[in-house]
């Protein structure tokens, strides 16, 4: 698997780089960004945090806006930010140009419906292809954590709950906690997965958490802004919190007063999340 370097910048003693590669999963060229801390300069394997971004985002939003590099450099933690969907000529997009379906809105599932199925295989890309690619080309260890924001929070939670053996911890900012019962999730799942709602449930974190055995429960941190415009209609964190309480799952759910859905919110608390994950490496 070959990768092409697009850009490289030194930051806090480490290096931030953007790469592209031809993906077997999505059948198109994919882009990702990776931050390697200074500890990796001598090929010392370092732990890796997967960051999954939200609707309309790409690999660039988190890397440019979150302010994560200083703490990541201190801790010796690598961070990878993949794109949020396949892109390029011939890749299906919403014909009406909606922001919540198609390009920038992959929802981290494997689509089974036309015209999405050919390229929108984001679950396989995040869980299988990208890890193999990173482990081939970068000095990273087998220690992995996963985090995300909004649609990416949905992705981080659902992927972690479906693959608890792969990650040491999971966290999210403003995650879509019950996609089977919110407009964003219903629209995307109907398009990508079809009308069989049993298939939708395979990617609903408020349901997936109930399938975990006690020994599979990962350390979990969620931050939610109280002034998030999407809180009531789209995010529904109470569904996940209630499910966790029923299971005695030790979820750390924090409501941050006055914060919204933006990267100002993420930048304010990203240090907490990085230190949280590092504790479990």
């Amino acid at each position: 698997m070959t990768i092409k370097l697009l850009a490289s910048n030194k930051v806090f003693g480490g290096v931030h780089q953007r790469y592209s590669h031809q993906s077997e999963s999505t059948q198109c060229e994919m882009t990702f960004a990776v931050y390697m801390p200074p500890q990796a300069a001598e090929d010392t394997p370092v732990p890796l945090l997967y960051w999954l971004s939200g609707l309309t985002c790409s690999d660039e939003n988190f890397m440019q806006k979150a302010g994560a590099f200083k703490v990541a450099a201190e801790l010796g933690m690598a961070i990878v930010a993949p794109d949020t969907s396949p892109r390029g000529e011939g890749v299906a997009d919403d014909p009406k140009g909606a922001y919540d379906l198609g390009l920038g809105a992959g929802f981290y599932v494997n689509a089974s419906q036309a015209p999405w199925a050919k390229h929108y295989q984001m679950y396989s890309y995040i869980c299988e292809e990208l890890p193999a690619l990173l482990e081939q080309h970068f000095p990273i260890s087998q220690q992995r954590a996963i985090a995300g924001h909004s649609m990416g929070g949905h992705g981080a939670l659902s992927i972690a709950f479906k693959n608890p053996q792969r990650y040491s911890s999971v966290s999210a900012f403003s995650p879509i906690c019950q996609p089977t019962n919110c407009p964003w999730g219903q629209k995307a799942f109907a398009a990508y997965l079809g009308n069989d709602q049993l298939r939708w449930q395979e990617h609903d974190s408020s349901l997936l958490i109930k399938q975990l055995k006690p020994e599979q429960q990962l350390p979990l941190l969620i931050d939610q802004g109280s002034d998030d415009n999407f809180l009531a209609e789209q995010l529904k964190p109470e569904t996940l919190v209630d499910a966790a309480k029923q299971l005695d799952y030790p979820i750390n759910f924090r409501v941050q007063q006055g914060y919204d859905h933006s990267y100002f919110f993420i930048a304010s608390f990203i240090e907490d999340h990085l230190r949280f994950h590092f504790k479990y490496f």
Side-chain angles (χ1 to χ4, degrees), residues 98-153:
Y99 74 93
D100 53 358
L101 186 68
L103 300 185
F107 266 83
Y108 305 102
V109 301
N110 283 346
S112 58
Q113 305 298 302
W116 313 101
K118 180 178 180 181
H119 298 292
Y120 284 75
Q121 301 294 311
M122 290 299 295
Y123 179 84
S124 292
Y125 180 74
I126 298 298
C127 294
E128 300 169 10
E129 184 175 5
L130 183 60
L133 187 73
L134 294 167
E135 291 166 12
Q136 175 184 345
H137 290 281
F138 298 94
I140 56 176
S141 71
Q142 294 298 305
Q143 298 178 94
R144 311 178 194 92
I146 191 166
H149 170 232
S150 194
M151 178 187 72

Side-chain angles (χ1 to χ4, degrees), residues 250-267:
I251 181 176
N252 186 0
F253 177 75
R254 311 189 305 186
V255 176
Q256 305 293 357
Q257 294 298 320
Y259 286 89
D260 57 19
H261 199 73
S262 72
Y263 266 85
F264 294 109
F265 170 43
I266 295 172

Side-chain angles (χ1 to χ4, degrees), residues 41-118:
E42 299 180 0
D43 288 337
T44 301
V46 295
L48 177 64
L49 174 67
Y50 287 80
W51 175 268
L52 306 185
S53 292
L55 289 166
T56 76
C57 292
S58 69
D59 64 281
E60 297 184 280
N61 297 74
F62 176 84
M63 294 302 201
Q64 294 180 7
K65 296 179 178 181
F69 299 145
K70 184 177 182 179
V71 176
E74 173 198 330
L75 298 175
M77 178 190 300
I79 304 173
V80 63
D83 206 344
T84 53
S85 78
R87 299 181 194 266
E89 186 176 351
V91 175
D93 193 14
D94 183 78
K96 298 180 180 179
Y99 74 93
D100 53 358
L101 186 68
L103 300 185
F107 266 83
Y108 305 102
V109 301
N110 283 346
S112 58
Q113 305 298 302
W116 313 101
K118 180 178 180 181

